[in-house]
Amino acid sequence: MSIKVAVPKETAEGERRVAIESSVIAKLVKLGAEVLVETGAGSAAHIPDAAFSGATIVPTANDLYQQADIVLKVQPPSDAEIAQLKEGSVLIGMLQPYQNPERIAALKAKNITAYAMELIPRISRAQAMDVLSSQAAIAGYKAAIMGADLAPRFFPMLTTAAGTIRPSKVIIIGVGVAGLQAIATARRLGAVVEAYDVRSATKEQVQSLGAKFIELGITAEGTGGYARELTAEEKQQQQEALAKHIATADVLITTAAVPGRPSPKIIPESTVDGMKSGAVIIDLAAEGGGNCTLTQPGKTIVHNGVTIHAPLNVPSQVPVHASEMYAKNLLNFLTPMLKGGTYAPDFSDEVIAGALLTHEGKIMNAAIRQLVEGA
């Protein structure tokens, strides 16, 4: 009997993505799997049931979960969804283990083999599975669009019969995947772009996109593609030096975030007070509390004439391509574990082992085990 890979409709508020798309269905079927999709699973992403060719459309979530051997999700399962999971089944998705310890304990208690896609090691072999990067690229693109929409000025230089209009200056803090895509998009829109990151290795990437790299003399190279945490003295030095540059910005986009930890506070109120009236801050780190001390996650506020926009779940605002990219990440992760229509994971593989969260009634990730069990 073929392994059954199931995709439910996402139930989290505001979530528009779906964990499957047509080309991925065809490839899973070729690997010997049977694909089940809950009716309406793609409706929020403008994908009708008819587009899921090759899959069996299942009328209810309960029916889907009762048949599923492997469940593919975008958001972590709710308590109700965990209750519906078949004992001993496999769950793959962005499980946000640091934010949901109680649900991780529930997955353990139900003997679910759970893989958290955000825990996949950031190594070259796993790039095609890296959901953090694929979704961050979408967020960076969208951040530049949001900035252009909220700004009271044009982004590009315009020469008109009424005179020449100078281009806007966009400053981007944090040059990871989101930051690089924000740079590229802002440049395409015609803005003058500057960018800063504590990792000096990003300078060449910034310049390759036609932006100017802001050098403050502070470096904090870390591991796994992330920066190390700055000392208190370095933070103070960074804030003071950045403030002078930020005061000239029409739009400021901040992207500094580390999964599972609060976002670093880079932009104090004093820096915002020094910005020009009409300036805009797009805080992409709002999920972790934000990079600006005035940020209110999920809200847009105005402080002394400066608009601070702190959107949540930005990739969901581009659901068609976000779903396509995410589904392909899942396929690339799942493919080595499907052999002849059966589920056969190699737990000695560092990618599979790195993503493994719960298995056989145990929490396999040491850091999450410490968080949940305190041991």
Side-chain angles (χ1 to χ4, degrees), residues 4-15:
K4 292 185 177 180
V5 178
V7 180
K9 183 176 182 177
E10 295 295 322
T11 59
E13 183 178 356
E15 183 53 69

Side-chain angles (χ1 to χ4, degrees), residues 200-226:
S200 57
T202 61
K203 178 179 179 179
E204 187 176 329
Q205 294 172 303
V206 169
Q207 292 174 331
S208 72
L209 292 171
K212 177 183 176 183
F213 187 75
I214 298 172
E215 299 191 65
L216 303 181
I218 304 167
T219 59
E221 313 293 342
T223 58
Y226 298 106

Side-chain angles (χ1 to χ4, degrees), residues 177-252:
V177 174
L180 289 170
Q181 191 58 245
I183 291 170
T185 305
R187 286 278 297 152
R188 291 187 198 107
L189 291 171
V192 172
V193 182
E194 297 181 2
Y196 169 74
D197 196 292
V198 291
R199 299 164 299 164
S200 57
T202 61
K203 178 179 179 179
E204 187 176 329
Q205 294 172 303
V206 169
Q207 292 174 331
S208 72
L209 292 171
K212 177 183 176 183
F213 187 75
I214 298 172
E215 299 191 65
L216 303 181
I218 304 167
T219 59
E221 313 293 342
T223 58
Y226 298 106
R228 66 167 173 81
E229 187 172 355
L230 296 177
T231 65
E233 183 180 348
E234 286 174 327
K235 287 179 182 177
Q236 183 64 30
Q237 182 184 348
Q238 178 194 61
Q239 288 179 359
E240 291 174 357
L242 270 178
K244 298 174 185 177
H245 292 273
I246 291 171
T248 67
D250 296 300
V251 174
L252 172 67

